[in-house]
Amino acid sequence: MKLGLRRIAVTAAAVSIGLGMAACGSAKQSTGTSTGAAAGPVKIGLLLPETKTTRYEQFDRPLIEAKIKALAPDAQIDYYNANENATTQQTQVDTALTKGDKVLILDAVDSKSIQSSVQKAHDAGVKVIAYDRLAQGPVDAYVSFDNKKVGQLQGEALVAAVGPKASSGKIIMINGSPTDPNAAQFKAGAHSAIDGKLTIGKEYDTPNWDPNNANQEAAAAITALGAPNVVGVYSANDGMAAGIATALKAASLSVPLTGQDAQLDAVQRILAGTQTMSIYKPFKPETDAAATMAVQFAQGKSLEPSLTPTTSTNGSGNSVASNLITPVVLTKANIKTTVVADGLYTVAQICTPDYAAACTAAGLQ
């Protein structure tokens, strides 16, 4: 996919519905909370994986909850965050089933270990929607982005940014968590674009997508390869890119660096020139699809065909009705027409005093 391919449009007004709720809840709610009428006919469990990636509490949760409430005002929503602990998430599924939730929106910490919980839900007649990551087991529906395409776009951007320096050095690849099936797809997509064009000096799979681990991996790779021999870094997401950028700065290196998720700090790094690109995944189409699926399932309906136009096969071999949304490459050139135009961030949020000059140069203010 090239930069000119179709972008999923998200109106600022639509996003603002969820952003106004972004402050609700706490990252500490790992034992489950409820919102809405206690005895409402629509009972949905929302299980998110962690809080280190800012998107989950800032965007995913409030947007999903807002859409569910718009479709079913009397809905009960039981919220859980596993804080990167797969065992905790299994317990949370048990709690959701005990509380009588009829549908689970599940973003798995570990797609494999959660299989027994998915099976348990299935056996209890509870529908499971795999959200953002495709869990194993008898999942009923899946909504995410085209993850292999995400990695391909990242890899293509890195190849282009390294350019003629490709023959004079090596890159470092810092992939996501080995327990996240998305990470494997990002990695495969990135390799499809990078292999044969750039030489990989060091490559890591980073448990829990931890920025501190990514920082240490980058620092170790720079030491092993020698700073002058490093011509670029593939980072699978923006959280890790933050740690990698710190390692690059410590080594006085200014080389292309990728990312994903369009985090606010990543947008600022792109403006400052310390990160080359990110992948913007418009959250509203993803959250709306998951919430709509959940309400339709909870009301005993079959999903509208438009919600699942394709299928995916998970790690346990189950064919799952799927909705895969097209990602967008974010660079300095399109910040204004993507994350600003779509209401993800305001110019004021991006253009703090430290980035004022860069914002002016980019035409943001």
Side-chain angles (χ1 to χ4, degrees):
M1 178 184 293
K2 297 183 179 178
L3 301 188
L5 285 184
R6 176 178 63 86
R7 177 169 67 85
I8 302 294
V10 187
T11 66
V15 176
S16 66
I17 293 172
L19 298 187
M21 299 178 63
C24 72
S26 166
K28 297 180 180 179
Q29 291 171 298
S30 59
T31 57
T33 61
S34 299
T35 60
V42 172
K43 301 180 71 175
I44 297 168
L46 172 60
L47 298 99
L48 297 182
E50 46 103 344
T51 58
K52 285 187 177 180
T53 304
T54 60
R55 59 168 287 188
Y56 294 115
E57 294 294 330
Q58 188 174 1
F59 299 113
D60 297 82
R61 179 191 177 185
L63 288 172
I64 288 171
E65 290 182 341
K67 183 64 173 180
I68 290 172
K69 288 295 187 178
L71 295 171
D74 62 346
Q76 173 181 307
I77 306 168
D78 295 318
Y79 174 68
Y80 309 82
N81 192 298
N83 290 313
E84 300 180 339
N85 190 309
T87 301
T88 295
Q89 192 168 65
Q90 291 172 328
T91 301
Q92 290 171 345
V93 171
D94 289 342
T95 301
L97 297 179
T98 299
K99 294 180 76 169
D101 291 331
K102 298 303 181 185
V103 180
L104 304 183
I105 300 173
L106 172 66
D107 193 338
V109 174
D110 184 325
S111 64
K112 185 176 181 180
S113 68
I114 202 67
Q115 180 175 347
S116 60
S117 297
V118 173
Q119 185 67 54
K120 187 180 295 185
H122 176 78
D123 292 344
V126 173
K127 300 290 189 180
V128 177
I129 300 165
Y131 179 75
D132 207 58
R133 300 171 181 172
L134 184 52
Q136 295 189 19
V139 172
D140 295 282
Y142 171 49
V143 58
S144 186
F145 288 82
D146 186 337
N147 295 318
K148 188 171 182 180
K149 182 61 68 176
V150 168
Q152 179 186 336
L153 291 172
Q154 290 173 313
E156 289 173 350
L158 184 61
V159 169
V162 172
K165 294 184 179 179
S167 60
S168 62
K170 299 178 180 180
I171 67 161
I172 301 164
M173 282 195 75
I174 298 183
N175 305 304
S177 176
T179 62
D180 180 351
N182 288 7
Q185 293 173 334
F186 301 144
K187 181 178 176 179
H191 272 286
S192 73
I194 289 171
D195 291 353
K197 298 180 179 67
L198 300 174
T199 301
I200 301 167
K202 292 287 184 179
E203 183 170 5
Y204 305 88
D205 294 331
T206 309
N208 298 321
W209 298 86
D210 192 293
N212 293 323
N213 288 345
N215 171 269
Q216 294 166 9
E217 290 163 351
I222 292 167
T223 299
L225 298 173
N229 299 316
V230 177
V231 296
V233 183
Y234 169 83
S235 172
N237 80 348
D238 291 336
M240 296 194 306
I244 296 164
T246 300
L248 292 173
K249 183 177 180 180
S252 300
L253 265 176
S254 178
V255 296
L257 171 64
T258 67
Q260 176 183 186
D261 290 329
Q263 290 187 182
L264 179 57
D265 60 330
V267 175
Q268 293 171 327
R269 284 193 298 273
I270 290 170
L271 284 167
T274 56
Q275 184 170 326
T276 307
M277 57 78 71
S278 184
I279 294 292
Y280 172 40
K281 301 189 293 187
F283 299 120
K284 197 67 166 60
E286 186 182 24
T287 58
D288 275 3
T292 304
M293 289 174 181
V295 171
Q296 289 184 6
F297 274 145
Q299 293 174 338
K301 301 175 181 177
S302 298
L303 296 185
E304 296 172 5
S306 62
L307 283 173
T308 53
T310 188
T311 60
S312 303
T313 302
N314 65 11
S316 53
N318 301 79
S319 179
V320 183
S322 303
N323 187 332
L324 302 181
I325 300 164
T326 304
V328 181
V329 172
L330 179 70
T331 66
K332 189 182 298 185
N334 67 350
I335 289 172
K336 191 171 185 177
T337 58
T338 53
V339 296
V340 173
D342 290 348
L344 195 66
Y345 308 118
T346 65
V347 170
Q349 286 175 306
I350 297 170
C351 299
T352 58
D354 288 344
Y355 299 96
C359 282
T360 300
L364 288 180
Q365 61 179 19

